[in-house]
Amino acid sequence: MKLSTRQMTLVAMFTGLTTVGAFISIPLGEVPITLQTLFVILSGLILGPKLGALSQIVYIFLGLVGVPIFAEFTGGVQAIMKPSFGFIIGFIFAAYIVGKIAHSGEKVSSKNIWIASLVGIIVIYLFGLPYMYYILNIVMAKGLSFNTIMKIGCLIFLPGDFLKLIVASVVAAKTLPILNKAGLSIN
């Protein structure tokens, strides 16, 4: 994949925004509340599937090599053993799928933006919850039920994620037409 300077800058910007989203964190059990999902969804909506996913790959790479950019100012390969790391893996796939859905037609529609945002949140949970279950129950031997994992890893976060979904969708719906009109569309 050959990238223009503008594309590299935008990828770096969304990597940075995801990092800022991680730093705005409220500790809440095994998984903190952060603004990361807002920027993951926006990366797919604004950058499209490939660049959105790339921004999240760069984010994860930087965190795994030791830059303390994950939630609670952590980083390093040991982050793989945190119950919340599955959600981070889901960021790549969510950004890609969000971009694919949002940019599937000739013109990005508000309907596609909303659907893409919702699907993106679901994708993050599809990666995060099984990983969380595995780490907490198989690696840490905590013996938590599936219902408990759903409560501590999903249900308490849904209202906030719904709010982030709304914000991302509104921002993208307002921003994309401006970018297209100015000839700055990414795709």
Side-chain angles (χ1 to χ4, degrees):
M1 175 194 270
K2 187 173 180 178
L3 300 176
S4 69
T5 303
R6 184 178 80 199
Q7 290 171 323
M8 285 188 277
T9 302
L10 290 168
V11 166
M13 182 180 80
F14 274 94
T15 299
L17 287 171
T18 304
T19 300
V20 169
F23 293 164
I24 301 169
S25 175
I26 301 169
L28 189 68
E30 301 294 342
V31 181
I33 296 174
T34 69
L35 289 181
Q36 289 169 297
T37 52
L38 170 68
F39 297 116
V40 169
I41 299 302
L42 271 173
S43 72
L45 293 173
I46 302 293
L47 301 180
K50 292 178 183 173
L51 296 179
L54 182 58
S55 71
Q56 301 311 308
I57 291 168
V58 171
Y59 170 73
I60 293 171
F61 174 78
L62 290 173
L64 288 177
V65 298
V67 180
I69 61 174
F70 294 145
E72 300 168 341
F73 299 96
T74 61
V77 74
Q78 70 276 8
I80 292 171
M81 299 309 292
K82 292 184 95 176
S84 60
F85 192 73
F87 296 96
I88 295 172
I89 294 168
F91 291 173
I92 298 168
F93 298 94
Y96 184 82
I97 291 169
V98 165
K100 270 295 203 197
I101 294 170
H103 297 270
S104 63
E106 272 187 38
K107 185 178 175 188
V108 178
S109 69
S110 292
K111 178 183 173 187
N112 280 3
I113 288 172
W114 287 94
I115 291 169
S117 298
L118 178 61
V119 170
I121 297 291
I122 292 168
V123 167
I124 292 170
Y125 281 113
L126 286 175
F127 279 86
L129 291 172
Y131 195 94
M132 183 179 196
Y133 183 89
Y134 176 79
I135 294 296
L136 290 175
N137 287 324
I138 307 302
V139 176
M140 297 179 167
K142 290 198 174 189
L144 300 174
S145 69
F146 178 74
N147 287 339
T148 302
I149 297 294
M150 284 296 292
K151 286 178 192 171
I152 66 174
C154 179
L155 297 178
I156 59 174
F157 296 98
L158 287 178
D161 284 339
F162 186 69
L163 182 61
K164 292 176 223 173
L165 176 153
I166 292 170
V167 170
S169 297
V170 169
V171 167
K174 300 285 186 189
T175 304
L176 286 171
I178 294 168
L179 293 173
N180 289 335
K181 189 174 182 181
L184 298 172
S185 65
I186 305 307
N187 300 325

